[in-house]
Amino acid sequence: MTENSSHRLVQSVLVSLNGVIGEPLTWAGPYFGEGSAIRSLATLQRSDGFLMGRRTYEIFARQWPAATGPYADALNRAKKYVFSSTLREAEWNNTTVVSGDVVDAVRTLKQSNDLLFYGHGQFGQTLVDAGLVDELTLTLVPVSVPGGTPLFREGGESRRWELVQAGPGHDPGLVSLTYRPASSDTVQDTAA
């Protein structure tokens, strides 16, 4: 169960058929069209802040500042927070570098903001394990990716999720699954 807050943290993840999340720019692009762009823009516009780990920041900071269009404009205007213990300064406008305890910093931001982040690297795993994610949307992309980072890695906390919406994605071939933490979200070890 997520912590009690009137504000939400939404996580959106692209995942291949075989459960890989790493490097989605190399395999998910052909499946994203106008429908996905419209949905991504609406989700971004509902948030007060966009969270990133350093790796996502480096990819986005190269791609989006010079881009144009409704999504690029909204992302460039948005308050952005990059979580890193090594990055000292962010060049992308409206970006704040946050160092220190990730869980405490996100908990503080969430007290007064609806937050959004993409992906599920170490940063995402940390937020899920801490019970801070209120909604997890998986967009299943119809490709099998040889190797790569799996969605959930060994060593994470066991959690139960409740399916709240499932259906076709916003472009042909995609499937969208939205989950919220179950009321009893920890999985009990039944092996004894």
Side-chain angles (χ1 to χ4, degrees):
M1 176 179 279
T2 58
E3 297 179 1
N4 189 11
S5 170
S6 60
H7 293 282
R8 296 175 350 121
L9 174 57
V10 174
Q11 178 183 15
S12 183
V13 184
L14 299 174
V15 61
S16 72
L17 286 176
N18 60 328
V20 171
I21 59 157
E23 305 297 331
L25 291 177
T26 63
W27 48 265
Y31 296 95
F32 275 72
E34 186 176 344
S36 296
I38 290 169
R39 181 169 193 274
S40 294
L41 177 59
T43 301
L44 179 62
Q45 290 174 328
R46 284 192 303 268
S47 69
D48 301 312
F50 184 72
L51 310 181
M52 298 169 278
R54 180 174 182 153
R55 188 168 178 169
T56 300
Y57 168 76
E58 289 172 346
I59 293 167
F60 276 46
R62 283 192 307 265
Q63 178 180 354
W64 292 106
T68 59
Y71 183 81
D73 293 346
L75 187 57
N76 286 317
R77 279 192 312 269
K79 290 181 191 174
K80 296 172 285 292
Y81 302 91
V82 58
F83 292 80
S84 175
S85 60
T86 56
L87 186 66
R88 297 291 168 234
E89 188 175 311
E91 295 180 16
W92 192 8
N93 68 315
N94 299 328
T95 302
T96 301
V97 177
V98 181
S99 59
D101 188 282
V102 169
V103 172
D104 285 343
V106 171
R107 188 177 286 127
T108 299
L109 283 170
K110 190 177 167 186
Q111 289 175 356
S112 57
N113 297 281
D114 287 320
L115 303 170
L116 169 66
F117 76 100
Y118 296 148
H120 189 78
Q122 181 180 347
F123 175 65
Q125 185 82 40
T126 297
L127 298 181
V128 166
D129 288 350
L132 290 171
V133 175
D134 299 288
E135 183 175 291
L136 172 63
T137 297
L138 303 176
T139 299
L140 191 61
V141 181
V143 325
S144 178
V145 179
T149 305
L151 176 58
F152 289 101
R153 288 157 304 287
E154 287 186 36
E157 295 290 322
S158 294
R159 300 240 174 239
R160 291 185 191 274
W161 295 87
E162 174 181 60
L163 181 66
V164 293
Q165 186 174 5
H170 298 278
D171 284 304
L174 300 176
V175 174
S176 179
L177 304 166
T178 300
Y179 295 91
R180 293 196 181 120
S183 57
S184 174
D185 68 351
T186 57
V187 176
Q188 300 298 320
D189 183 5
T190 57

